[in-house]
Amino acid sequence: MFFYDDFIKKIAETKIEYKAMRKYSLEAKKLVMWLGTGLPLILIGLLQGYIGYTKDFSIPYLAIAGLLLFLGLKHLKNIFSYKIVLDCEKKKVLGQGLDLAFEDIESCTLKEGVVGKASRLQVIIRIVTKDKREIIVPLIMGNKIDFICALRDELGEKFSIIKG
């Protein structure tokens, strides 16, 4: 990811074409990171399960195997289920448990912020709805600039950028 000021300059320079539906999946860096932890967890869980099976169904080995398999499969589920869709025909943002109409958005702000318990800054979208709900969307998808420009074009005056 480039520095935030360069990111803002790229957004200002970018003009996009209208598309009725835009889909965004996980960026390559996150994909590799989550695959790099998910697959080894599954392999270690399978090994622990095999060891537990060959040691006359040893409960501790099987319990550890179950836990590791659960964590590994959860990582893989997160990888393949991450999708954000901008439906410009129906004027909606869909994905990650979000079904939000553009008309329900009071303001949408691009800024740097900390999400969750992480200690590092990242670029986020802060959406405030008309019923005063706050939705934070971390930009961990591929094609971030296209996503931001499409939101900017669809929301118009409701979209703003806080410069760092």
Side-chain angles (χ1 to χ4, degrees):
M1 176 82 202
F2 15 87
F3 296 105
Y4 185 65
D5 293 333
D6 294 336
F7 186 67
I8 292 172
K9 286 178 188 172
K10 282 202 178 235
I11 290 169
E13 296 168 356
T14 304
K15 302 291 181 209
I16 59 169
E17 294 180 18
Y18 175 82
K19 286 186 186 176
M21 177 111 26
R22 295 176 182 272
K23 296 179 182 178
Y24 303 94
S25 58
L26 204 58
E27 71 180 333
K29 187 171 87 173
K30 292 282 185 187
L31 181 76
V32 168
M33 184 182 73
W34 285 356
L35 273 176
T37 56
L39 290 178
L41 283 172
I42 290 172
L43 292 174
I44 293 169
L46 290 173
L47 177 66
Q48 289 292 319
Y50 175 74
I51 291 171
Y53 173 76
T54 58
K55 290 193 173 194
D56 296 327
F57 293 100
S58 174
I59 299 298
Y61 283 106
L62 294 176
I64 291 172
L67 177 67
L68 291 173
L69 286 172
F70 171 75
L71 292 174
L73 291 172
K74 188 174 178 183
H75 270 259
L76 291 182
K77 178 189 160 282
N78 287 340
I79 290 170
F80 296 115
S81 68
Y82 183 89
K83 183 181 0 174
I84 294 181
V85 177
L86 288 179
D87 189 348
C88 296
E89 281 184 358
K90 295 180 182 174
K91 305 278 187 202
K92 286 188 167 194
V93 179
L94 306 166
Q96 297 308 107
L98 185 64
D99 184 2
L100 185 62
F102 290 157
E103 61 202 32
D104 293 338
I105 296 175
E106 187 174 302
S107 70
C108 179
T109 307
L110 175 72
K111 66 179 190 172
E112 276 187 309
V114 177
V115 178
K117 296 178 182 175
S119 61
R120 68 181 184 98
L121 283 175
Q122 61 184 13
V123 181
I124 61 172
I125 296 277
R126 180 181 173 262
I127 299 173
V128 177
T129 63
K130 289 186 177 175
D131 60 349
K132 302 299 179 203
R133 283 189 310 149
E134 181 182 45
I135 301 164
I136 304 291
V137 180
L139 294 182
I140 59 172
M141 78 274 298
N143 248 346
K144 295 173 181 64
I145 293 176
D146 185 62
F147 176 73
I148 297 298
C149 291
L151 259 181
R152 176 194 65 196
D153 293 349
E154 289 297 321
L155 295 177
E157 295 294 319
K158 296 178 185 177
F159 186 82
S160 64
I161 297 175
I162 296 176
K163 299 186 182 195

